[in-house]
């Protein structure tokens, strides 16, 4: 058993190779909090998937920083055992803050696995050493620009294309992509931008042979999602609505979706992501791994998760080059067959490169187990 020693918070910023626009706004840079933990035995790293603003969820970088510094780190330091199971129990007294918790738990798990020379993928019972990858395309400036991006990503090998949509920039664009590529796996993601009254839009999209329609309605409204699902042939998938295994159980019970997007950050870390996976698998519900424009640190975690047996659909696990000219870690590359290798090293299997940390970190704060609260 090893003890907690220290936790360091780091703020990083990396330019994106192209701005990413969703129904709630546009980002030009990846700005996030990294967590580095030290135990008696090892060091571990985790990435918080929150962004600058509380738009995807209620969490945001400054809030996550405070939640970790003032509540989660002290709760961890009180434990004799630095392991992830103990930490998860210790964090149960802090409500919400799933993304903050996930960043710390991922770092703790990385350290724990590094100390026992076990890879995250092996710990998760992953069954594949490569995963099939999709790509998520932000709302483009025009249909022509969108078609060009789709062509480029298909040429690179991506095996599923997801289009971001918002009211007014939806049916026509999806129809154009479908007409150009009748046979590809194609899905749309609305990021909760529609209302039940938009049923005609969904009926039109329903005719386009999509793999799924992701998070069409308000994130708290499972009942309306169930009503919409009953009206459509296309499977609905929920993302923002699923913040825990309990949410996933409720959604499936109600018939609010037939597919679940698993983001470990959104559900409070890898252990809860595993519970969502197991629950969906018991109910024969396909899951896939979502993405939050992660750097290589978060990407390594996603690839290990995506290698679990229930992840039967291509995820938003794209190559480093799709996001960054120079990632924080060694880059993750896509093979021409549209797959990426699952890291095999101890823990998450990657580390941030010191030269990149020098360039990208704007602020750091080290908290030691002995510090006064
Ligand atoms: O490739 O990591 C990626 C991005 C995948 O579309 C994607 N993410 O709603 O799922 C989402 C969306 C997102 C990204 C949401 C960043 C919020 C922030």
């Amino acid at each position: 058993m090893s003890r907690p020693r220290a936790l360091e918070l780091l703020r990083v910023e990396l330019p994106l190779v192209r701005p990413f626009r969703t129904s709630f706004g546009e980002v030009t840079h990846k700005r996030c909090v990294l967590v580095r933990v030290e135990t008696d035995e090892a060091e571990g790293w985790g990435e918080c998937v929150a962004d600058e603003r509380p738009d995807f969820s209620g969490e945001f970088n400054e809030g996550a920083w405070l939640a970790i510094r003032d509540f989660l780190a002290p709760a961890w330091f009180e434990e004799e055992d630095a392991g992830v199971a103990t930490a998860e129990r210790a964090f149960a007294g802090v409500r919400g803050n799933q993304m903050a918790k996930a960043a710390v738990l991922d770092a703790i798990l990385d350290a724990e696995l590094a100390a026992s020379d076990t890879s995250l993928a092996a710990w998760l019972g992953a069954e594949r050493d490569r995963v099939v990858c999709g790509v998520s395309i932000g709302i483009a400036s025009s249909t022509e620009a969108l078609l060009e991006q789709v062509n480029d990503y298909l040429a690179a090998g991506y095996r599923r294309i997801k289009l971001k949509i918002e009211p007014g920039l939806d049916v026509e664009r999806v129809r154009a992509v479908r007409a150009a590529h009748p046979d590809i796996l194609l899905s749309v993601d609305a990021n909760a931008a529609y209302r039940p009254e938009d049923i005609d839009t969904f009926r039109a999209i329903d005719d386009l042979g999509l793999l799924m329609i992701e998070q069409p309605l308000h994130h708290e409204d499972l009942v309306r999602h169930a009503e919409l699902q009953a009206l459509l042939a296309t499977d609905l998938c929920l993302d923002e609505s699923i913040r825990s295994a309990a949410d996933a159980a409720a959604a499936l019970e109600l018939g609010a979706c037939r597919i679940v997007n698993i983001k470990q950050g959104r559900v409070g870390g890898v252990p809860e992501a595993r519970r969502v996976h197991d629950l969906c698998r018991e109910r024969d519900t396909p899951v896939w791994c979502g993405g939050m424009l992660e750097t290589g640190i978060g990407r390594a975690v996603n690839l290990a998760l995506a290698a679990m047996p229930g992840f039967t659909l291509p995820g938003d696990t794209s190559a480093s080059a799709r996001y960054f000219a120079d990632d924080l870690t060694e880059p993750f590359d896509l093979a021409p067959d549209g797959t990426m290798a699952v890291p095999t090293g101890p823990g998450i299997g990657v580390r941030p490169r010191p030269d990149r940390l020098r360039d990208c970190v704007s602020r750091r704060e080290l908290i030691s187990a002995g510090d006064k609260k």
Side-chain angles (χ1 to χ4, degrees), residues 20 22 24 51 56 136 162 164 189 191 214 239-240 261 263 290-294 299 316 318 322-323:
F20 189 72
T22 65
F24 51 74
D51 202 343
F56 175 84
S136 169
K162 159 169 144 181
K164 293 286 182 181
D189 182 5
N191 285 113
E214 192 179 347
D239 174 6
E240 285 94 319
N261 166 333
K263 290 177 179 164
M292 296 290 282
L293 308 171
E294 287 91 344
R299 193 155 310 281
D316 286 343
S318 311
R322 179 255 173 277
Y323 312 92

